[in-house]
Amino acid sequence: MKRTLLGLATATIAGLAVTAPVTLMAGPASAGGDFGPNTCLEGYVWREARTGDVVCVTPATRTQTLADNAAKASRWTSGPFGPHTCVTGYVWREAFTGDDVCVTPATRAQAKADNGKAADRRVSAKLWITRYTVPPVDNGDGTSTSTSVDDIPRLKINGDHYNFGQVRLYIRYNTGRLYWSGTVSASAHSGYVGGSFGKKTGVFDCSGGGKAANAYAQAQDVVSGRWSPRLPVRVGCAVL
């Protein structure tokens, strides 16, 4: 196979990798719908078995939880476990340590299952960076074409624990100046929790030689407004 090498004039990365602009959003403190690290994925709400119970459950489970709380006194009797012994057919819910609200065995099993899935139902907005290179372009005639920068690693922004739907992505210099922006649709992928994605940015990774980060990547879940942590990167290097 013939490999043709095309020369490329020196240019800054900013001139090569910027995508179409998107509308910028306000910072994390003012993003609507963000209730902090316990924000639930769309379709879930806080259980509120007690004040401060922020386990994410279905609306139907929350309704049942509130009904059980309201009926607790009618299901207690004095017995071997004290004045809060459950009447026949009921057991302690145990949604949290010391939870002695009496519920059906099925409801207690549901509470245990919900506790086990709590982390997977939050908009944790996890983010990580991988690198990729550009393969030669097949010309369809037994030859391929490449450029002098194809072997330079570029940044791919990945995430999971997002709502299904649009996620806004940004790379900013540490000064706050926007360097690159884009959008991606988070959807279901095997092995990942909630909505997940992987976005090739076209932005060159300039961290070679142990150079310090001069920028950061960040994502915003549009449905909740929640922001991911900032990931340090180095961008803006000149390439040949």
Side-chain angles (χ1 to χ4, degrees):
M1 177 179 289
K2 180 181 178 182
R3 178 180 172 93
T4 304
L5 185 65
L6 302 180
L8 188 66
T10 301
T12 63
I13 185 172
L16 298 174
V18 175
T19 63
V22 296
T23 302
L24 299 183
M25 301 296 291
S30 60
D34 181 358
F35 298 98
N38 294 310
T39 300
C40 296
L41 289 168
E42 192 172 28
Y44 294 96
V45 294
W46 288 340
R47 181 173 57 195
E48 296 186 322
R50 64 172 176 177
T51 301
D53 177 22
V54 291
V55 170
C56 297
V57 299
T58 65
T61 295
R62 173 176 166 163
T63 297
Q64 182 63 54
T65 298
L66 298 179
D68 288 330
N69 284 357
K72 62 183 179 181
S74 67
R75 298 172 181 172
W76 285 331
T77 187
S78 294
F81 300 102
H84 288 180
T85 298
C86 294
V87 299
T88 302
Y90 290 89
V91 294
W92 287 340
R93 182 173 56 198
E94 298 182 329
F96 52 87
T97 301
D99 180 15
D100 57 6
V101 170
C102 296
V103 298
T104 65
T107 297
R108 181 167 75 175
Q110 182 65 56
K112 182 178 181 180
D114 288 331
N115 287 351
K117 296 177 181 178
D120 291 347
R121 294 174 176 175
R122 300 188 191 113
V123 185
S124 301
K126 295 185 177 180
L127 204 68
W128 64 94
I129 298 289
T130 55
R131 277 83 180 168
Y132 68 97
T133 55
V134 177
V137 176
D138 187 350
N139 296 324
D141 59 1
T143 66
S144 62
T145 303
S146 63
T147 73
S148 59
V149 297
D150 286 353
D151 293 334
I152 300 176
R154 307 176 193 214
L155 301 176
K156 181 179 180 181
I157 303 177
N158 311 275
D160 70 356
H161 287 80
Y162 291 78
N163 283 298
F164 294 133
Q166 190 180 73
V167 176
R168 293 189 175 101
L169 305 174
Y170 302 92
I171 296 177
R172 296 181 185 275
Y173 283 110
N174 291 338
T175 60
R177 180 165 63 90
L178 181 66
Y179 181 77
W180 175 93
S181 64
T183 61
V184 66
S185 181
S187 56
H189 296 93
S190 178
Y192 297 93
V193 176
S196 59
F197 59 85
K199 176 74 170 181
K200 293 181 177 180
T201 65
V203 174
F204 292 104
D205 174 22
C206 301
S207 62
K211 296 179 181 178
N214 63 353
Y216 61 87
Q218 193 172 26
Q220 185 190 34
D221 177 79
V222 172
V223 172
S224 67
R226 184 152 179 75
W227 290 80
S228 74
R230 296 178 177 183
L231 295 184
V233 295
R234 186 172 182 87
V235 299
C237 51
V239 297
L240 291 175

